Amino acid sequence: MAGNEFLVVCFRCFRHPRTAGSRLLSNLYATLIMLLVLSPMGLSAKAADSYTLGPQDVLKIRVFEWRPSAGVAFEWVPLTGEFTVSADGKLSLPIVGSIAAAGKTPEQVSEIIGEQLQMQIGLQKRPNASIEVSSYRPFFVTGAVATPGKFAYLPGLTVMQALSMAGGTGTIDPKIMELQREALVNQGTARELDAERLGLVAKRARIDATLAGLAKIVFPPELASRGEQLGTVQIMNNEQALLDSRMKSLNADLTALQQSKVLAKNQLEALRLKEVSLNKQIDLANKDLNSVNKLVSQGLTVSSRQMGATQNLADLESRALDVSLAILTTEQDLAKNDQDALSVGEKYKAATLTEATEVRDKIAANDEKNRTARALQRNIEMRVPIALSVMDSDGRPRTVTRINRVVDGVARTYIVEDNDLVAPGDVIRVEPQEQKNVSSVARTAQ
């Protein structure tokens, strides 16, 4: 059943009570009607009990009176609608007149409206008034924000939310902003140069360890003193890993050459043994050939045997020449192996020396750039110290937020944080934080 149909049925029961039970039921219906009519706004008023009204608050008011004789809920139409609290804190209503609303809760004002209406009209029973805040009085944001001005208040509004409505903080004099920009660029450059220098110093330590033949890098105090910083630890670990990798690669190359040299030596030894064996066979073949030649000259043997002995000797001498050539080749391989091992070491050393020269030049350039950046920074500090005093360590404007608020008729000023609550009518002021110690800020910027 729709809400309007339910009301019609209830009104009919009120107008035509036939029995005592019907009259009891009509009273129950009356209670239900008042709840249906007043409960939404009553809840709003109850939720706003702790809120005190002030000028420019817009109130939505509804006033009803239950008339048992007619069995209807009578609405006071002139008093139903939206009304604004005036600049002097008063609420002007038809019939009732002017009510001092500022500093009172909506519940208190609703009671005053019912009492005034009862007295003005001479009613036997006080009418019920329900009030909810339709539109809260605005709050104001001024100072170092992007868009200062007046803003609509919302319940539960925090300082951070209010400042975001004003475009955020950080609006400072353009000249100071330009100096801040220069200071930020110089600070960023100095930080980059510092990080670059740490990397170069770590490389130089690795190069020194390489040239000294050390397996462990000895880092200078400039790095060792920052051992707890994650970035510095990573730099040192990377350089140590690079040294380990290069040493491993060099050792692998030298080991391969050494193994090749051992194989060549074994081969050379085998060839020389074979050469000795062949020389012995050649000596025997020569003796055999001489014997055969004597027999042939005496006619004691055939020439075919002489030819076979000659061929055997020639074959042995040919094999001896092949072995001699193989020995020469193997000896050349051994000499080349030694030369390759020396070349690998010299090449590794030359690359390290070249890298050392590059690192030395880069460190010198880094130092010069760092001096220039710090000189520019000092120049800015001398020109306008406030350019740095209004910035925090991250380069953001350093500001302080205050709220001007009227409490019990007295204007008070509070320093607030981002999560503090804003009240209607507050004036939020964002100002650059005053510099207390220029030298300390300058040291921090460096």
Side-chain angles (χ1 to χ4, degrees):
M1 181 182 296
N4 291 336
E5 295 175 354
F6 179 75
L7 289 175
V8 170
V9 172
C10 293
F11 287 150
R12 288 174 179 172
C13 292
F14 298 148
R15 291 194 179 99
H16 306 287
R18 294 184 176 86
T19 64
S22 298
R23 285 193 297 272
L24 180 59
L25 184 60
S26 67
N27 290 335
L28 178 59
Y29 284 150
T31 303
L32 291 174
I33 289 175
M34 295 302 292
L35 287 175
L36 287 171
V37 172
L38 298 178
S39 60
M41 300 185 66
L43 290 175
S44 299
K46 185 175 182 181
D49 279 349
S50 59
Y51 175 72
T52 56
L53 302 175
Q56 300 184 54
D57 278 337
V58 179
L59 307 180
K60 190 173 184 180
I61 302 176
R62 300 177 70 183
V63 181
F64 287 87
E65 175 193 358
W66 174 248
R67 296 185 176 180
S69 57
V72 296
F74 177 76
E75 180 180 7
W76 290 82
V77 178
L79 294 173
T80 298
E82 291 189 347
F83 301 88
T84 303
V85 179
S86 63
D88 59 358
K90 294 184 179 180
L91 185 64
S92 297
L93 300 174
I95 305 175
V96 175
S98 181
I99 297 175
K104 294 182 175 63
T105 64
E107 180 64 26
Q108 291 173 335
V109 174
S110 66
E111 292 179 359
I112 293 174
I113 292 174
E115 292 173 355
Q116 293 279 15
L117 185 60
Q118 183 180 18
M119 289 191 335
Q120 293 279 358
I121 307 300
L123 300 174
Q124 184 177 2
K125 186 178 180 181
R126 189 183 72 182
N128 294 309
S130 177
I131 296 178
E132 65 176 334
V133 181
S134 176
S135 176
Y136 293 89
R137 60 187 182 276
F139 67 94
F140 303 84
V141 182
T142 184
V145 292
T147 54
K150 179 176 69 173
F151 300 91
Y153 174 80
L154 297 172
L157 187 71
T158 64
V159 172
M160 180 184 294
Q161 293 169 337
L163 295 180
S164 67
M165 294 169 68
T169 61
T171 302
I172 306 173
D173 186 281
K175 293 181 179 179
I176 294 180
M177 290 183 66
E178 183 63 28
L179 289 171
Q180 285 182 348
R181 191 175 296 109
E182 292 182 22
L184 286 174
V185 171
N186 289 331
Q187 288 176 1
T189 301
R191 283 194 290 267
E192 289 178 2
L193 291 172
D194 287 341
E196 181 184 87
R197 178 179 173 78
L198 292 177
L200 292 172
V201 170
K203 286 184 179 181
R204 184 172 61 187
R206 171 179 54 78
I207 292 170
D208 293 341
T210 301
L211 296 175
L214 301 177
K216 187 73 174 177
I217 302 175
V218 179
F219 292 102
E222 184 177 356
L223 281 171
S225 61
R226 303 190 183 191
E228 296 181 356
Q229 298 181 8
L230 182 60
T232 306
V233 171
Q234 188 65 38
I235 289 173
M236 293 190 292
N237 290 340
N238 289 344
E239 293 300 327
Q240 183 62 53
L242 181 57
L243 175 64
D244 295 341
S245 176
R246 291 188 176 179
M247 291 294 292
K248 186 177 180 180
S249 176
L250 174 63
N251 292 333
D253 291 341
L254 293 176
T255 299
L257 290 172
Q258 184 64 29
Q259 290 175 350
S260 177
K261 184 177 181 180
V262 170
L263 291 174
K265 283 183 177 181
N266 293 336
Q267 184 179 2
L268 181 61
E269 184 178 353
L271 288 171
R272 283 174 176 168
L273 291 174
K274 188 173 183 180
E275 183 182 36
V276 171
S277 177
L278 285 172
N279 288 333
K280 289 179 180 180
Q281 292 180 38
I282 290 172
D283 290 340
L284 293 174
N286 278 323
K287 291 178 180 180
D288 182 58
L289 180 60
N290 290 333
S291 299
V292 171
N293 287 335
K294 288 180 181 181
L295 292 173
V296 170
S297 64
Q298 294 175 2
L300 299 175
T301 186
V302 294
S303 60
S304 59
R305 184 179 176 187
Q306 183 183 24
M307 185 178 296
T310 302
Q311 289 178 350
N312 182 47
L313 178 61
D315 182 60
L316 289 173
E317 288 177 345
S318 175
R319 290 168 60 188
L321 287 174
D322 290 340
V323 170
S324 296
L325 181 61
I327 289 173
L328 288 175
T329 303
T330 305
E331 287 176 344
Q332 289 179 351
D333 290 342
L334 281 172
K336 186 177 182 301
N337 190 284
D338 291 335
Q339 185 178 359
D340 287 345
L342 182 62
S343 176
V344 167
E346 290 298 324
K347 183 179 179 180
Y348 187 77
K349 184 177 180 180
T352 304
L353 290 173
T354 301
E355 188 179 13
T357 302
E358 294 175 353
V359 169
R360 183 185 64 244
D361 294 341
K362 288 181 179 180
I363 289 178
N366 178 278
D367 291 340
E368 185 61 31
K369 290 178 182 178
N370 214 325
R371 282 192 293 270
T372 302
R374 297 190 185 283
L376 291 173
Q377 190 71 4
R378 286 193 296 271
N379 181 269
I380 293 175
E381 295 166 9
M382 293 174 63
R383 286 160 58 193
V384 184
I386 195 174
L388 292 179
S389 69
V390 296
M391 292 190 302
D392 60 19
S393 59
D394 295 327
R396 296 176 296 183
R398 184 187 291 109
T399 58
V400 60
T401 305
R402 294 183 172 89
I403 280 184
N404 291 346
R405 180 179 298 168
V406 177
V407 180
D408 297 330
V410 180
R412 302 181 185 276
T413 301
Y414 307 94
I415 296 179
V416 293
E417 302 294 336
D418 289 344
N419 293 323
D420 290 336
L421 293 177
V422 177
D426 281 353
V427 178
I428 304 174
R429 290 187 294 116
V430 180
E431 301 172 342
Q433 189 172 8
E434 295 181 1
Q435 183 183 18
K436 295 183 179 180
N437 191 336
V438 175
S439 60
S440 65
V441 174
R443 285 194 298 272
T444 302
Q446 292 178 359

